[in-house]
């Protein structure tokens, strides 16, 4: 009996190349003196009209092959980049041009594109381009956007890109009737994904086959392929997009196309050379995407137990200068704000606003952290008001285990009903309380206070809709060597997909893990795909791969049954060998089954002789039976009716220094439920990473824009990414598994879990330590210091 | 692609007009011109080696002057092809007497194809302006201090009336003489750029 | 005008390479583009993230802050030179594999070189010393928990296996 790999912490196959420095990231592709390199001239102004672009001084440089501005773009390339996710509420969506046409709307916007023999020369050329701007006063910050003294886009009144409302009834009336009422005003500041590897694209145009090959550091290979084809006037079939190894994405690489993702292929075709663009760190800060910035106003009505009778949330979302990703982030905030709770009546309305800053597209959590912050601060406020335990108030509002599936009465980010399929929130709460020592904490707090130390504890709960559609697909091919080649179209940025998916195939097919090879994000291998985001890979591709492997297995058994003259139900596949159960002598290895699956005229090696026309087959029947195909392949797709809902709870104990206001983490506990785990080691790694980003977002990271729309901390020196010293020394993790009823393996997503409740949990803990209301995140020691001063009588 | 510009040459209209219609002057003043062969009245085959940034190469082409209105205007039609790409241009040239000499204005409508077309419109416009500037500076110098004689037309023994071929003037062995010739045309803003680029650039 | 090139001999992972590079060519770019040793990664180009860390005569340095010409006459060790002669993983690399100390792998080479030097100088680090050893390298994926474990495991493995590989 082989041990199933599902649920095992199998060591990763990817590590073998990464540890040897043999990963192939986009800048490692086409390392060749003949490759040309691109650089982009970016606007130094947040808002300006372009008057003139003078490239005369570039002529004196050697090694410059092209300098393009918007005028050099024709046809679809001259039009704005696509608005990826339209929505009826997005009445005033705007996207940028591949190169700015007459106006720039954020500092960092692409104005000119240079191609040269190497990056150094390309940057020399950038320095010599003289752009004359007519500088305009920018709109920076949500307050300025709302005031609308100035507009970002002349044809967008009030800087409002969208206004959207959803609800289950008259929340205001419910609040008015409620025994108790509270109002909260909260702020979450902007942050960003900042993966260690920035963006990059390499393209080759092959004139012999009339094909465009693009390597790009993306989260959606099929998305980039479609838009490159359209913009360059190519057939989809002429474009291949290969996702190389990607050094982190966290959401920022789901947006596409970046201007460079179009300009590089265009340059490759125009110049007849391989062209490469990789951004530097500063470019990533000022020309990729940010997220998180919101201002929120909450009104809530509740009873003596803290039950939510009416919840009315209004928020303002800063989406930067353009809206290529539509309204996904604020829609997620609106819907996931509800968390594990069931308010009697809920209404949410938001305005998504333009500012002259870098655009906003999803960052791990994608709007959930903001929603969780709003709800959890509200829960804490209710508990404080009623003098009740914060865990108890939450428990009172939980959807109960027997209430699933629970329809929240809203439309989710996938356009489908927000219906929670499964979960057990009371059980999670018991676990987190035990893990962090919730009930013992008040005594601990008193003990510490007695020796002059301030400690506080926070708790936050979240729900995460994972595995959104429309679908993912998989292809499984068993070759005549017995090796299994698997492809799925979504992409990988460190989640260990090649390992996790190989585990699934090994289990379903009965082959050795080592004999399975998985490829992701290559449109040549699987051209139907959506992408990696919303913690969907395990659910979507995992399910598709499982189903495809099952189809392949069905074919194996059919062919083997025929060859072994046995019944299919009597067969088993173990370590790549098909045998009759209990009769180990009668066996056929998968490679042979593969040979038999493809009737041949021409043998190509010893093994294949067995499949040639004089060796096998019934002369009275067609060699390939009707409704069958040659070869040993399985292909299938998984397309669920709705997302599946993971959940979790975090708790943190912090200490604040009475003098310096430094914030130290004493304990960090996580209980999470992502259904059944394929590889627990990898899931824990995801939680660790998410918690680190959460800690950073709560205490350290913000985008510091000045009133001129200049990003003042566009480097790792000033944007405070955490080192090991900033994360807790050890995270206590406990699991709960409520399998998803929506997919065959019962999986839910885990990728974003670690980061969702962080702002909430830290605000709660600091407030508990300080007894000062914390309404804005992130909070640094100096901010805490000033808050203390403000609240000293 | 449209390019406009004008240059003032410190010489009377008549001298400028005559110079521009003289193939011996043309072969010496068109930047990168290696060879000019008359194929008819005011029509020439040319070989020009020129480059835009990293895309340098040799073009074989034709140049024809038409619509001549003495001392007032003419149209120049250019056509060239080479490894770097193709050029088709129609240039309307007008002459006006001004204080200090003759103002020559050009209004060109050009289509650039092939790899050269890929360098970008503004690069092409810039290089065209530079070459025009070089050209007119060369013309001014040629008028003011006649350049070394173009090599004499080589008569082909066989056919009478055969195309006259003008080779590029035997250049002084040192680039300095050439530069000195250029420097004569004072007051032209582009000179500094032109001189600098000629010294630095490998042709 | 073209740049003046300088002759420099780089000794990387025990092999010598003769290059002609401009003075301003960074060591990170020379390793990656001139020598094709793409294991050293560039995360920030301002010396903060540590992804480009290589060993120069055994000491960790930021290759993005060095000019290739200044590495003349020095021994450079990159991630490609950390494995054992038979192709197997070093104790540090093995520790990372066992403890899931990497996810996307982009920052990993910088950690591996740093820790290789760190454990060579301190083969029996305490838990705190393990954290300290990696406190100058950024990772966005792992949250560091498993990297610390990897250091501890690497130290264990290093004590088990003699240096000479016997």
């Amino acid at each position: 009996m082989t041990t199933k790999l599902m649920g095992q912490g199998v060591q990763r196959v990817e590590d073998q190349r990464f540890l040897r420095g043999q990963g192939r990231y986009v800048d490692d592709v086409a390392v060749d003196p003949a490759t040309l390199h691109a650089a982009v001239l970016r606007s130094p102004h947040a808002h300006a009209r372009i008057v003139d672009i003078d490239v005369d001084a570039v002529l004196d440089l050697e090694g410059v092959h092209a300098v393009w501005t918007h005028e050099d773009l024709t046809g679809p390339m001259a039009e704005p980049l696509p608005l990826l996710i339209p929505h009826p509420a997005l009445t005033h969506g705007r996207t940028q041009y591949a190169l700015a046409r007459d106006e720039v709307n954020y500092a960092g916007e692409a104005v000119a594109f240079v191609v040269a023999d190497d990056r150094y020369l390309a940057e020399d050329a950038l320095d010599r381009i003289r752009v004359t701007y007519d500088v305009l006063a920018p709109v920076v910050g949500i307050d300025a956007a709302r005031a609308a003294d100035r507009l970002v886009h002349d044809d967008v009144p009030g800087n409002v890109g969208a206004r959207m409302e959803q609800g289950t009834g008259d929340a205001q009336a419910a609040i008015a009737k409620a025994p108790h009422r509270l109002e909260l005003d909260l702020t979450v500041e902007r942050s960003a994904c900042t993966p260690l590897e920035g963006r990059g694209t390499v393209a080759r145009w092959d004139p012999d086959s009339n094909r465009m090959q693009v390597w790009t550091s993306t989260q959606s290979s099929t998305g980039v392929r479609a838009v490159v084809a359209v913009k360059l006037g190519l057939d989809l079939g002429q474009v291949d997009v290969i996702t190389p190894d990607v050094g982190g994405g966290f959401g920022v690489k789901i947006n596409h196309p970046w201007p460079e993702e179009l300009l590089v292929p265009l340059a490759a075709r125009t110049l007849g050379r391989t062209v490469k663009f990789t951004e530097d760190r500063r470019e990533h800060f000022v020309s990729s995407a940010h997220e998180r910035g919101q201002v929120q106003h909450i009104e809530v009505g509740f009873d003596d137990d803290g039950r939510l009778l009416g919840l009315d949330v209004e928020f303002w979302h800063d989406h930067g200068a353009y809206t290529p990703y539509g309204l996904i982030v604020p829609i997620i905030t609106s819907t996931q704000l509800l968390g594990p709770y069931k308010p009697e009546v809920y209404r949410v309305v938001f305005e998504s606003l333009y500012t002259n800053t870098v655009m906003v597209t999803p960052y791990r959590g994608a709007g959930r952290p903001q929603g969780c912050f709003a709800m959890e601060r509200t829960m804490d406020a209710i508990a404080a008001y009623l003098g009740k335990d914060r865990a108890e108030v939450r428990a009172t509002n939980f959807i109960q285990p027997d209430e699933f599936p629970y329809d929240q009465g809203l439309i989710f980010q996938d356009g489908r009903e927000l219906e929670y399929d499964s979960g057990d929130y009371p059980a999670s709460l018991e676990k987190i309380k035990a893990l962090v020592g919730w009930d013992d904490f008040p005594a601990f707090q008193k003990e510490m206070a007695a020796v002059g130390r301030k400690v506080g504890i926070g708790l936050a709960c979240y729900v995460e809709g994972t595995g959104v559609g429309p679908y993912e697909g998989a292809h499984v091919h068993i070759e005549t060597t017995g090796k299994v080649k698997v492809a799925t179209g979504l992409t990988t940025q460190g989640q260990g997909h090649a390992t996790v998916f190989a585990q699934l195939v090994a289990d379903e097919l009965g082959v050795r893990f080592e004999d399975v090879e998985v490829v992701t994000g290559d449109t040549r291998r699987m051209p139907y795909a959506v992408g990696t985001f919303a913690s969907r890979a395990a659910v979507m591709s995992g399910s598709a791969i499982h189903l495809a492997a099952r189809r392949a297995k069905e074919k194996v058994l059919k062919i083997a049954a025929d060859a072994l003259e046995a019944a299919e139900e009597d067969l088993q596949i173990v370590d790549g060998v098909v045998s009759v159960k209990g009769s180990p002598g009668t066996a056929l290895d998968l490679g042979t089954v593969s040979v038999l699956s493809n009737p041949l005229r021409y043998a190509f090696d010893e093994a294949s002789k067995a499949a040639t026309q004089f060796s096998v087959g019934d002369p009275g029947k067609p060699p390939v039976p009707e409704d069958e195909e040659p070869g040993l392949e399985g292909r299938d797709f998984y397309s669920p009716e709705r997302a599946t809902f993971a959940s979790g709870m975090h708790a943190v104990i912090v200490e604040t220094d009475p003098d310096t206001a430094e914030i130290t983490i004493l304990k960090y506990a996580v209980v999470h439920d992502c259904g059944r785990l394929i590889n627990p080691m990898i899931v824990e790694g995801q939680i660790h990473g998410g918690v680190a980003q959460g800690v950073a977002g709560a205490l350290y990271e913000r985008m510091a824009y000045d009133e001129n729309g200049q990003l003042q901390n566009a480097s790792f020196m000033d944007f405070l990414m955490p080192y090991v010293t900033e994360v807790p020394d050890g995270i206590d993790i406990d699991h709960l598994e409520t399998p998803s009823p929506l997919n065959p393996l019962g999986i839910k997503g885990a990728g974003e879990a670690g980061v969702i409740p962080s702002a909430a949990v830290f605000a709660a803990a600091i407030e508990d330590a300080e007894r000062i209301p914390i309404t804005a995140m992130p909070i640094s020691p100096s901010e805490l210091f000033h808050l203390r001063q403000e609240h000293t009588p | 692609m449209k390019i406009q510009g004008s240059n003032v040459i410190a010489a009377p209209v008549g001298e400028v007009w005559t110079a521009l219609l003289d193939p011996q002057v043309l072969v010496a003043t068109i930047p990168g011109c290696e060879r000019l062969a008359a194929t008819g009245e005011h029509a020439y085959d040319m070989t020009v080696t020129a480059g835009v940034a990293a895309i340098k190469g040799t073009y074989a082409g034709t140049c024809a002057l038409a619509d001549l209105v003495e001392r007032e205007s003419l149209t120049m039609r250019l056509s060239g092809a080479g490894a770097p790409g193709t050029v088709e241009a129609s240039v309307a040239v007008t002459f006006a007497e001004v204080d200090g000499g003759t103002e020559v204005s050009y209004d060109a409508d050009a289509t650039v194809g092939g790899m050269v077309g890929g360098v970008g419109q503004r690069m092409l416009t810039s290089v065209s302006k530079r070459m025009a500037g070089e050209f007119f500076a060369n013309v001014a110098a040629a008028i003011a201090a006649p350049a070394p004689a173009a090599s004499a037309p080589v008569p082909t023994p066989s056919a009478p009336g055969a195309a006259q071929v003008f080779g590029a003037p035997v250049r002084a062995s040192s680039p300095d003489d050439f530069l000195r010739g250029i420097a004569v045309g004072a007051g032209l803003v582009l000179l500094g750029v032109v001189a600098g680029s000629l010294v630095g650039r490998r042709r | 005008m073209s740049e003046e090139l300088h002759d420099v001999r780089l000794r990387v992972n025990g092999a010598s390479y003769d290059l002609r590079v401009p003075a301003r060519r960074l060591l990170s770019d020379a390793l990656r583009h001139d020598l094709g040793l793409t294991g050293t990664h560039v995360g920030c180009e301002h010396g903060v993230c540590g992804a480009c860390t290589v060993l120069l005569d055994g000491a960790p340095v930021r290759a993005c802050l060095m000019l290739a010409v200044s590495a003349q006459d020095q021994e450079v060790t990159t991630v490609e030179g950390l494995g054992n002669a038979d192709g197997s993983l070093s104790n540090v690399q093995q520790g990372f594999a066992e403890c899931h100390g990497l996810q996307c792998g982009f920052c990993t080479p910088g950690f591996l070189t740093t820790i290789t030097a760190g454990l060579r100088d301190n083969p029996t680090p305490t838990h705190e010393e393990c954290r300290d050893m990696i406190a100058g390298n950024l990772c966005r994926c792992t949250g560091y928990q498993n990297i610390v474990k990897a250091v501890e495991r690497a130290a264990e493995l290093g004590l088990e296996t003699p240096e000479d590989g016997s």
Side-chain angles (χ1 to χ4, degrees), chain B residues 76-196:
Chain B
M76 189 185 299
R77 290 206 175 79
L78 299 160
S79 169
T86 60
V87 179
E88 298 280 329
S90 177
V91 191
V93 186
T94 56
F95 300 76
E97 202 162 323
V98 296
D99 228 0
T102 305
E103 184 178 43
V104 183
S105 305
Y106 57 88
D107 190 336
D109 201 338
T111 308
V112 181
M115 292 225 309
V116 173
V119 301
Q121 300 231 18
R122 287 177 193 262
M123 288 282 273
L124 288 172
T125 313
S126 282
V127 80
S128 303
K129 284 203 161 117
R130 275 205 190 184
M131 286 177 70
E134 253 182 72
F135 172 59
F136 288 113
N138 291 349
V139 169
I143 293 170
S151 22
V154 178
T156 37
S158 47
Q164 289 193 301
V165 178
F166 303 87
V170 175
R171 300 211 190 276
S173 51
S174 128
D176 292 343
D177 291 343
F178 193 62
L179 278 176
R180 232 173 276 132
I182 295 239
V184 167
L188 291 168
V189 170
L190 285 165
L191 269 182
V193 174
V194 170

Side-chain angles (χ1 to χ4, degrees), chain A residues 298-496:
Chain A
I298 297 137
E299 291 177 19
V300 64
F302 51 100
D303 65 16
D304 297 333
D305 293 323
R307 271 214 28 83
L308 304 169
L309 301 174
L311 181 64
D312 194 337
V313 177
E314 196 176 353
F315 68 94
W316 296 266
H317 178 78
D318 175 357
H319 64 236
Y322 298 106
T323 54
Y325 214 79
L327 298 175
I328 292 302
V329 174
I331 289 175
I332 291 177
T333 302
S334 313
T335 48
Q336 302 265 249
L337 183 147
L338 291 171
Y341 312 115
K342 44 176 183 176
E344 294 272 330
V345 187
Y346 172 58
R347 182 197 85 126
V348 61
V349 62
F350 70 81
E351 276 189 351
S352 199
L353 300 163
Y354 285 100
T355 57
N356 285 112
T357 59
V358 172
M359 65 193 182
V360 165
T361 65
Y363 163 27
R364 199 177 199 169
R368 290 177 197 83
Q370 298 93 311
C372 180
F373 186 65
M375 180 57 104
E376 295 302 293
R377 295 279 61 219
T378 302
M379 284 294 171
D380 287 343
I382 290 173
Y385 180 95
L386 294 172
K388 277 180 165 292
D389 179 278
R390 291 170 281 164
E392 217 179 285
V393 167
R394 286 169 165 83
T396 307
N397 283 287
F398 280 160
I399 297 163
Q400 295 302 312
D402 58 5
E403 288 181 289
F404 292 101
Y406 190 87
D407 186 349
Q408 291 276 22
L410 303 174
I411 302 297
F412 191 39
Q413 63 134 332
D414 54 359
R416 290 162 181 268
E417 274 159 25
L418 185 71
E419 186 181 280
Y420 297 2
D421 53 281
S422 56
D424 190 341
Y425 310 132
S428 293
L429 187 64
E430 288 317 301
K431 280 185 178 262
I432 191 74
K433 283 169 69 177
L435 199 55
V436 79
W438 181 262
D439 293 328
D440 299 326
F441 186 78
F444 176 68
Q445 195 176 41
K446 279 208 183 75
E447 241 179 80
M448 292 292 110
V451 295
R453 289 172 64 180
K454 285 186 177 185
V455 297
I457 192 169
L459 171 70
C461 311
Y462 70 89
V463 151
E464 185 190 355
T466 67
V468 300
Y471 67 84
E472 281 302 330
H475 179 246
V476 173
H477 180 210
I478 304 168
E479 292 195 352
T480 56
T481 54
K483 294 244 191 283
V484 184
K485 305 294 182 189
V486 179
T488 188
L490 55 58
T491 56
T492 308
Q493 305 87 41
Q495 302 91 330

